[in-house]
């Protein structure tokens, strides 16, 4: 529904389905917490006012991929549910297909792969905050130190631009 609602904001059924999905996600977050994706995204939002959903979208494929075999089975199951892989695929293949589907959806939604405005001198501090938020509060599949989290900020940083400015792709609005 996300692509339908994005491409045609007048599609009330797709929007209603997205509302239900957001509600269910909120319930899930309150029961299981979130993880490093959200923790790193929170620090980017707090430091640079980067919208939380945007930061999550940019970070998600990188961090899921970095978790490696610890999440292959669960991501494979999600990939089967999403229709992007088959039950017969290996857990590793299914996880890779799921992460690739996220990257493709991001591309179709006009979500960038990098975020401008990140300053090198802020990365250590943001990574420290993200590490404290995600561990021990969140049930993460792989524990990471602040130093290990720093790589995600470097991986999404667009050093060619000094300020954040996001312009979503044009779409039909409601």
């Amino acid at each position: 529904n996300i692509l339908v609602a994005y491409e045609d904001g007048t599609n009330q059924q797709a929007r209603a389905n997205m509302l239900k999905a957001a509600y269910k996600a909120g319930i899930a977050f309150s029961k299981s917490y979130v993880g490093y994706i959200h923790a790193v995204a929170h620090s980017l939002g707090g430091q640079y006012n980067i919208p939380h959903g945007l930061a999550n979208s940019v970070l998600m494929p990188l961090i899921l991929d970095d978790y490696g075999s610890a999440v292959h089975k669960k991501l494979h199951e999600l990939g089967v549910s999403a229709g992007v892989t088959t039950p017969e695929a290996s857990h590793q293949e299914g996880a890779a297909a799921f992460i690739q589907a996220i990257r493709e959806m991001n591309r179709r939604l006009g979500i960038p792969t990098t975020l401008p405005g990140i300053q090198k001198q802020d990365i250590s501090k943001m990574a420290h905050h993200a590490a404290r938020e995600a561990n021990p509060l969140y049930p993460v599949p792989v524990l990471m130190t602040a130093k290990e989290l720093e790589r995600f900020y470097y991986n999404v940083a667009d050093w060619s631009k000094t300020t954040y400015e996001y312009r979503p792709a044009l779409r039909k609005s409601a």
Side-chain angles (χ1 to χ4, degrees):
N1 289 285
I2 192 168
L3 290 172
V4 173
Y6 176 80
E7 291 169 355
D8 179 6
T10 64
N11 187 318
Q12 296 299 311
Q13 186 59 54
R15 291 172 63 138
N17 291 342
M18 288 303 302
L19 181 61
K20 288 177 192 171
Y23 170 74
K24 288 179 179 183
I27 291 171
F29 291 161
S30 68
K31 290 183 179 183
S32 66
Y33 303 102
V34 282
Y36 290 118
I37 297 168
H38 280 265
V40 173
H42 284 154
S43 67
L44 288 166
Q47 186 71 33
Y48 304 116
N49 293 321
I50 294 172
H52 187 61
L54 173 63
N56 279 301
S57 298
V58 172
L59 290 161
M60 184 178 287
L62 297 174
I63 294 177
L64 290 179
D65 195 39
D66 194 77
Y67 283 147
S69 62
V71 296
H72 284 169
K73 183 178 182 205
K74 288 184 179 184
L75 294 183
H76 177 222
E77 291 169 358
L78 288 171
V80 170
S81 294
V84 299
T85 191
T86 66
E88 296 77 33
S90 71
H91 293 321
Q92 183 177 3
E93 292 167 336
F98 183 73
I99 294 168
Q100 184 55 40
I102 292 169
R103 286 188 169 105
E104 177 58 21
M105 182 173 56
N106 282 354
R107 185 195 65 73
R108 288 184 63 188
L109 294 172
I111 295 170
T113 57
T114 59
L115 299 167
I118 297 172
Q119 302 295 308
K120 289 179 185 176
Q121 66 268 19
D122 298 331
I123 290 176
S124 177
K125 177 178 76 170
M126 290 188 300
H128 176 75
H129 288 296
R132 284 186 42 211
E133 178 181 351
N135 181 28
L137 297 178
Y138 299 159
V140 294
V142 175
L143 292 176
M144 295 184 205
T145 65
K147 193 69 174 163
E148 291 171 312
L149 292 175
E150 286 182 15
R151 69 179 173 267
F152 299 115
Y153 298 94
Y154 283 100
N155 287 339
V156 301
D158 180 348
W159 307 116
S160 70
K161 298 178 184 174
T162 58
T163 59
Y164 161 74
E165 182 180 338
Y166 173 63
R167 295 183 194 175
L170 295 176
R171 62 186 190 274
K172 188 176 176 183
S173 61

